[in-house]
Amino acid sequence: MSVGSFSPDRPISCAQGRYGEVIVVQGGGKKPIRIDGTTSRLAGLIAPEAAPEISTISPVAYYIARVDVTRPGAVYYSAPTVTFEQASSGFNDLVLLPPGATPPEFRAAKAAAYLNQSGVSEIVVSDGGKGYAAPPNGVLGDSHGKGAVLTPITTGPSVTDPANNPYTGITQWEVVSQPADTSSAAACGGGNEPRFAATNCVGVDLPITGDGTFTVHSTYGYVRTRIGNGAVCCGFCPPPREPDYTRTITYRVTGASGGAGAVLRLVWNGSTWVQSCSGGGETPPWSRWEGATQVEAASPHKIGAGYSDARTVRVEIDSIAGEQATIVIEGYTAGNPANTESRGYSLTGIRIDNAGSGYVVAPQIKITSASGFGAYATCRVAGGRIVEVTLENGGGGYKTPPKIEAVAGGAEAFAVARPHLRGKYQCYYRYIDDTPESAGGPIPSSLSPVREVDAGEGVAGLAWTVPSLTPGGRATSVELWRTTGNQATTLYRVATLAGGLHSDTLTDDELRDPDRAGYAAMPIVLPNGGINANRFTPPPSDKAVVVRFQDRFWYGVDTGGKQPNTVLFSGVDEPESVPDINEIILQQNTVDADAISALIPFGPTLLIMQARHAYSLSFSKQPVLDAQVVPIAHRGALNQRCWGIHDGVCYVLDQYGIYAISPGGRVEGLSEAIEDMFRSRIDFGKRTWPFLTIDPTTNTLRAFVALRGDGSDGFPTAALCYSLASKAWWIETYPSRIQCATQALLTTGDYRCVFGTPGGLYTLDDGHLDMARGAVVSVKITNPGSGYTSPPTVTARGGSCAKFQAVLDGDGKIRAIWILSPGYGYASGSLVVSDPESDGGVTAVAEYTATTNSADTPLHPTYRYKTGCAEYPSDAQNPKAASVSSRNISLLYAPQRRSCPLSMRLYYNNSPAPRRNVAARNRGVGFTADVVDSAARLDMAANTLKHGEDTGVASAMFAGRTIDDVASADRYVAVELVGARRNTDPVVFYKLDVMGTAE
Amino acid sequence: MRADSWAGLVTNASPFALPPGAAVEQVNLNCSIPGQLQSRGGMRPLAVSPEDRSSIVHCHAVQLPSGTAVIAQRVDGTVIVLGGIAPAAAPSVGFEPQLSVASGQIATSYTHRYADGRYGAAQDAPEPQPRNPLVEALDGGESDTAEWPFVVDSVAGCPVSGKLSVVDGGVARDDELPPDVRESELCET
């Protein structure tokens, strides 16, 4: 099942993250994908283009931001509860709620108090609540010692009548102000001086009960009356007298609240007389003492109880006739500082009337008085009760018993309330997908453009409107983010939704509360200045390579032509977050216009490879800030597929050869022995598909390259192989196009190199049969041609890397065409044979057959080995050679279980064409000469030797001499071994002895 | 020259200067084991699940919860995930092309068998060929010697027509002729 579609023009590049996710890139404008298991999606999420639409929700509502302890209190046996008054919702009058939005409900704030040495030291708000229409008050519980009643024992008067308490009753009255005595003689109808009612025959008692206006109806009836010029009579005088009447005294009392029972007795002073006017009909005439002008004396008739030392009782009596005037009289309790009659006394003891409860520590004994001072007492508690009070000092000057209390409780707190939102808010949203957390998700986008909302002095919330998601897109949700008030550095997640409308009434504290469901905080920038909230840029589509290095994903190898030497990198374990700012640019100091071609994670460094230069990148924490890029070699890499790491050494293929980079950065060339191939035989015009792989099971490095003339379609045609153990090179060819490799753990438990071919995945160097696709398997010469003086070139069309070799006979005809390499991708047809050099010659005609291209055909792997040119000493150099002249060739090999032919051919004087030794013999030791194709043949089967037991030794019997003066004498010989592996056991050669040649 | 320490392929040197054991061509023979030259193994197909035998131009192994998988890029650019990678059953017998030729034709197979029309079947190791008695008869001699005294025509006999070749060098040592070769077959030039 396909998980992605990319261009066939270049290879993809993959890197796997810590959660198993795989990022696949290709460049060329193809968007990278992320593969999870067998599903894939485009990598990264693109940020929204528009800012959110937001309106405010009013009126203001409050929450508790914090609670300050203003008084710690004392003797708390447990932290007091904290409650907040006013539990009404502030949302009753919500307006501007978006359609369909649900008004937030009221939630009571929660806070907990903490004690320190029995006092309240701190109150922590666990839930600021919300929806308070006005700032609420904090109320503390009474979990403190209480109930103790302490009574002072003094030397002062004892209280015998609670209704007339010498301490709380009014024991002194003082006339504060009154008009002057304006007593006058009797006059008809009275004068105009102020008169204050009543009589001075007897006193008048005024009840003092609380504040207010009181009226006393005189019941005395006593009016001083003088009949005629007779004696004055008080009381019920005998007639003639004034008719009976009642006098009413109205007075106002203040400062008496709490008290009761006191009675003020007044004795009047002064007189004004009213005389019966003549003709008034009275007989005899009389004169009446109309009213007092002053108070002569004010005294307590009853002292009452419950009056305050701190408040002076004030009695005001207005005149009832004459000019308006007021008599002001003040009454004092014993403890009132104005009381001049009370005496000070001492505190002699404290009595425990109630031991109380909850006193975990001894409370302070507080003795307070408005008059005395200096008394000091301590107490002892047991079992939460006050069991003993010790008066340490009795003090003095107490006019009333001091107030004694065991100080407990009393803590006070002030709740600091804030509007849900106040000030300016920076609001964003972003997309996220449904990648589970276990896979590193969800994957977010960067933020939308900002929307700043001014909540002024307070609003209840914000109404968000964000676009709905595109069906089928990677984004599955929208996250709303905003700051707290008046800051723009840290964002908090408000909600996650599928788009549309959202009513946001989160308070700032709720927003910051890490225990809130959906809470998340995100600084917009990091402390070091690096971007944070907007780092979620999808991976680039113009980079062809991705690797993972130190938990970051690195993207390089530009395909767009704009950033040839730029490497981008992701955040830590965030392969899909590649902000533009995360870039490293190679600072080229050479005149060579080079470009990055590969990235190699190599131990603690990332090797950044150009085609001809290599750099080492390392960093400590943040690559943007502390990355170091150091050039390490004037070698490069052909492409991202052309490197491998084995045993801690990095092996790389570039256009100069194959080399190794040690962990210390030392570069060592490995391919000097075949260096000419890189100069002239490898087709570096095709750099896209070559690759290098290292087989860990055989320590074999294979560099698959396209050789010139192989007819490559861009893919490799041969493998340059290097044994890391024996340091030897060889070439491998396959009858199928080997296109790629990776190292994988098979279900059998074997860790093998796995190769991709037109037929799927294969292992190489496994079994004894190749799987051919369009390989040339036979050649038939239908016309040997004529006129050839040297072997013609023979080629086939349509496939790749088949190699043929024509062998001539002595008449200028083709005797045979060897298939040196079967190639791949061919369909049966005619070979192309070059024309003969001779005029009148006839071009040979040959056909070939190829295996099918649509299925595997098992073929025996063929091999070929050719030595260098060994020198035959001439007779002049070695006179004895003339008589001996043995040119036998001996081969030591591993006998095969079944038939396994080997051809041996000789090349004289570095000739490109083999030629048989004319002096060959077919005797006894395995090899037989063949005139058809100029080869000597040996069947390495163990049971085919005719002459004796097979020991795996065979000799081709040749002879000859070299005479210096003979033109073209066979002075040098190269031996070629050609064959096919036909059995499960490999063909093994141990020794090749070319006799007669110089050592 | 005695090659018993295989130095591998050395192309960046004159073929006349190579040490014993070094090769100017070494194809599909490895030197991984010191002291021996060994033919490489073959190609074993891998079974994958789901079965997919399309052309794969790039592959990358990854570790999934279900085990190792290969992310593979097909030749058409599509990317697939192949899991359950295991060796598949492989054929045990290699393909042998039929070499059928008419007279005058020569066919060669990739395993270097051949048929030249005279024997009707492919040859691996031909029996001693009577048409080439001279080679059989002579166990020494220098090539390119212009004065080689004999011509050989084992089919038509001497003289001249249909002779197979002209031996252009060597000195026959009659005393070492094998018994099945008559000196009368060696014709003077």
Side-chain angles (χ1 to χ4, degrees), chain A residues 3 676 726 729 731 733 739 765 770 815 858 864 920-922 931 937 959-961 968 970 982 992 994 997, chain B residues 1 3 9 11 25 27-28 31 40-41 56 63 79 95-96 106 124 131 135-136 139-144:
Chain A
V3 295
D676 63 310
S726 65
W729 286 95
I731 290 176
T733 61
Q739 302 171 144
D765 209 2
D770 284 343
R815 176 178 295 176
R864 190 153 49 92
R921 296 182 298 168
N922 294 329
V931 298
R937 282 197 163 75
R961 296 169 59 186
S968 301
D970 293 339
R982 304 175 72 101
L992 177 66
V994 183
T997 57
Chain B
M1 176 181 71
L9 183 65
T11 60
E25 290 190 46
V27 179
N28 293 340
C31 309
R40 70 163 173 83
I56 293 172
Q63 192 65 32
V79 175
F95 175 72
E96 295 287 356
I106 298 176
D124 278 339
R131 64 174 183 154
V135 176
E136 294 292 333
D139 59 357
E142 299 88 359
S143 61
D144 297 329

Side-chain angles (χ1 to χ4, degrees), chain A residues 414-732:
Chain A
F414 178 72
V416 178
R418 291 177 180 164
H420 285 189
L421 293 96
R422 182 180 62 183
K424 294 183 178 179
Y425 292 84
Q426 315 299 316
C427 303
Y428 306 82
Y429 69 102
R430 69 177 187 180
Y431 299 127
I432 60 171
D433 75 348
D434 59 355
T435 301
E437 195 170 336
S438 59
I443 303 301
S445 70
S446 286
L447 298 174
S448 68
V450 65
R451 174 76 66 193
E452 183 177 88
V453 178
D454 189 352
E457 287 305 309
V459 297
L462 302 177
W464 296 65
T465 304
V466 294
S468 297
L469 297 171
T470 303
R474 180 169 178 182
T476 56
S477 300
V478 177
E479 283 186 342
L480 311 183
W481 292 77
R482 66 170 166 88
T483 60
T484 51
N486 293 329
Q487 63 95 6
T489 59
T490 301
L491 297 173
Y492 299 91
R493 184 165 56 200
V494 174
T496 301
L497 55 153
L501 306 175
H502 179 74
S503 179
D504 165 20
T505 59
L506 291 175
T507 67
D508 282 2
D509 275 7
E510 287 178 319
L511 199 62
R512 285 190 299 250
D513 181 6
D515 295 329
R516 174 174 59 89
Y519 164 87
M522 177 168 58
I524 295 177
V525 296
L526 298 174
N528 61 14
I531 64 171
N532 185 46
N534 281 312
R535 70 183 189 273
F536 303 102
T537 303
S541 59
D542 62 348
K543 299 291 183 286
V545 168
V546 58
V547 296
R548 185 182 179 203
F549 172 63
Q550 292 193 1
D551 296 329
R552 296 176 187 270
F553 282 60
W554 299 72
Y555 298 84
V557 185
D558 184 61
T559 59
K562 296 180 180 178
Q563 299 175 315
N565 287 304
T566 295
V567 176
L568 301 175
F569 58 91
S570 75
V572 173
D573 288 329
E574 293 179 343
E576 299 174 76
S577 301
V578 192
D580 294 341
I581 195 173
N582 283 7
E583 68 173 1
I584 301 291
I585 301 176
L586 289 187
Q587 307 294 318
Q588 294 192 96
N589 297 320
T590 66
V591 296
D592 190 359
D594 211 345
I596 295 173
S597 57
L599 302 176
I600 306 174
F602 184 46
T605 64
L606 176 67
L607 301 180
I608 302 177
M609 313 299 288
Q610 294 179 318
R612 295 173 296 278
H613 302 87
Y615 296 82
S616 169
L617 178 147
S618 60
F619 66 95
S620 175
K621 293 181 179 178
Q622 173 54 261
V624 167
L625 302 179
D626 57 17
Q628 293 187 344
V629 180
V630 179
I632 60 170
H634 285 267
R635 299 294 297 264
L638 216 55
N639 61 40
Q640 180 63 17
R641 310 193 332 158
C642 287
W643 56 270
I645 295 175
H646 180 71
D647 278 353
V649 178
C650 182
Y651 299 91
V652 191
L653 165 67
D654 69 359
Q655 67 183 73
Y656 305 126
I658 295 171
Y659 61 100
I661 303 176
S662 70
R666 192 169 65 88
V667 174
E668 178 187 8
L670 303 177
S671 56
E672 287 83 355
I674 57 171
E675 201 170 277
D676 63 310
M677 296 191 68
F678 294 88
R679 290 193 300 267
S680 58
R681 292 189 61 188
I682 296 175
D683 186 356
F684 285 112
K686 300 179 175 64
R687 292 172 175 244
T688 301
W689 297 105
F691 65 95
L692 181 149
T693 186
I694 300 171
D695 188 338
T697 60
T698 60
N699 286 332
T700 300
L701 179 153
R702 289 182 173 88
F704 285 82
V705 296
L707 299 181
R708 292 180 179 175
D710 276 351
S712 167
D713 49 2
F715 283 92
T717 57
L720 307 179
C721 303
Y722 180 71
S723 170
L724 300 177
S726 65
K727 315 296 183 190
W729 286 95
W730 68 93
I731 290 176
E732 289 179 355

Side-chain angles (χ1 to χ4, degrees), chain A residues 206-269:
Chain A
L206 305 183
I208 308 299
T209 301
D211 296 335
T213 299
F214 302 89
T215 300
V216 177
H217 296 277
S218 174
T219 59
Y220 309 110
Y222 298 114
V223 176
R224 184 178 294 184
T225 302
R226 184 169 56 191
I227 304 298
N229 294 323
V232 173
C233 169
C234 278
F236 291 96
C237 298
R241 61 183 184 193
E242 182 195 27
D244 290 343
Y245 71 101
T246 297
R247 291 300 185 189
T248 299
I249 298 175
T250 300
Y251 61 99
R252 299 185 300 277
V253 177
T254 60
S257 64
V263 176
L264 167 63
R265 169 159 292 179
L266 297 179
V267 177
W268 300 101
N269 180 39

Side-chain angles (χ1 to χ4, degrees), chain A residues 24-58:
Chain A
V24 182
V25 304
Q26 191 187 44
K30 297 295 292 185
K31 293 182 179 179
I33 65 171
R34 169 189 172 127
I35 299 176
D36 293 278
T38 57
T39 62
S40 70
R41 293 174 284 188
L42 290 178
L45 276 78
I46 298 175
E49 296 181 350
E53 297 297 331
I54 297 176
S55 58
T56 57
I57 301 173
S58 59

